[in-house]
């Protein structure tokens, strides 16, 4: 355990925990592989008190930003997802477009936000996972599914609004 000014840093095990005199620092964990809102997220986190953004990526997508903690894991199926889930504490925020990861994060009592500003919740995650399952069945049978629409400025605006709300 290290004490530095008004912060105490507990070091050990799979993750570190920073506490500011009894107030836990909120983590915003970014599933950064293919994430278009990394910089927006970091900018919003920097404008807030007691919020630590953390970038997670694999060795195929080395993503780093000055002054921001980056955790890089070995390339592998869901390796970033499992590392991210192991870092979550109650009340943290996760940025991802992965429904499976979102479900695991919700189970650990994190708030989860998609890159267009839609919040994953206990009320919508089952329907999203079911739609993903049905789409996979169609693709496996040789069918085609329409992909996501092109990213718009309004997606960034919705994301910013929702993330600000979560950080307050």
């Amino acid at each position: 355990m290290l004490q530095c000014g008004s912060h105490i840093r507990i070091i050990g095990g799979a993750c570190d925990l920073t506490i500011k005199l009894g107030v836990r620092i909120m983590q915003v964990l970014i599933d950064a592989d293919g994430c278009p809102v990394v910089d927006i997220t970091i900018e919003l986190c920097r404008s807030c008190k007691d919020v630590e953004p953390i970038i997670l990526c694999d060795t195929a997508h080395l993503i780093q930003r000055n002054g921001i903690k980056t955790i890089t894991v070995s390339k592998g199926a869901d390796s970033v997802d499992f590392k991210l889930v192991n870092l979550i504490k109650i009340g943290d925020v996760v940025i991802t477009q992965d429904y499976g990861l979102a479900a695991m994060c919700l189970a650990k009592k994190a708030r989860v936000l998609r890159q267009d500003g839609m919040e994953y919740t206990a009320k919508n995650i089952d329907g999203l996972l079911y739609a993903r399952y049905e789409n996979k069945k169609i693709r496996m049978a040789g069918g085609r599914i329409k992909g996501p629409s092109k990213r718009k400025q309004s997606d960034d605006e919705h994301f910013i609004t929702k993330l600000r709300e979560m950080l307050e």
Side-chain angles (χ1 to χ4, degrees):
M1 181 167 74
L2 303 173
Q3 185 164 0
C4 181
S6 62
H7 289 78
I8 298 173
R9 184 120 177 123
I10 301 169
I11 302 171
C15 75
D16 301 342
L17 179 62
T18 303
I19 300 172
K20 182 179 177 184
L21 295 181
V23 177
R24 192 178 80 75
I25 305 294
M26 176 194 291
Q27 298 178 121
V28 176
L29 302 154
I30 306 165
D31 180 12
D33 298 347
C35 179
V37 294
V38 172
D39 293 325
I40 292 171
T41 303
I42 290 168
E43 183 180 328
L44 286 171
C45 289
R46 284 182 171 156
S47 69
C48 295
K49 193 174 167 185
D50 300 329
V51 176
E52 178 185 22
I54 301 172
I55 297 171
L56 289 100
C57 58
D58 66 27
T59 54
H61 305 91
L62 295 176
I63 302 167
Q64 296 183 331
R65 299 295 187 272
N66 287 334
I68 302 299
K69 182 176 182 179
T70 299
I71 298 172
T72 305
V73 298
S74 299
K75 183 179 172 189
D78 302 321
S79 58
V80 171
D81 298 356
F82 293 123
K83 179 65 176 178
L84 191 150
V85 168
N86 285 326
L87 294 174
I88 292 173
K89 302 293 182 217
I90 294 173
D92 284 343
V93 174
V94 176
I95 310 299
T96 188
Q97 62 183 351
D98 181 326
Y99 296 167
L101 175 58
M104 290 188 288
C105 295
L106 289 171
K108 293 201 67 176
K109 308 261 189 267
R111 293 189 72 184
V112 189
L113 187 61
R114 195 167 68 184
Q115 300 143 344
D116 62 0
M118 186 198 82
E119 183 173 3
Y120 298 98
T121 65
K123 291 181 180 179
N124 67 15
I125 195 65
D126 287 338
L128 293 167
L129 288 168
Y130 183 74
R132 181 180 77 168
Y133 166 75
E134 289 295 323
N135 287 338
K136 184 175 182 178
K137 281 190 350 186
I138 292 168
R139 286 192 310 274
M140 295 297 284
R144 296 177 78 68
I145 301 295
K146 183 179 175 192
S149 59
K150 187 176 179 182
R151 188 164 181 80
K152 299 178 282 235
Q153 179 66 34
S154 62
D155 292 331
D156 285 346
E157 293 165 3
H158 290 123
F159 177 81
I160 289 167
T161 299
K162 190 64 179 180
L163 182 57
R164 265 198 192 120
E165 175 188 307
M166 289 176 150
L167 297 177
E168 292 177 350

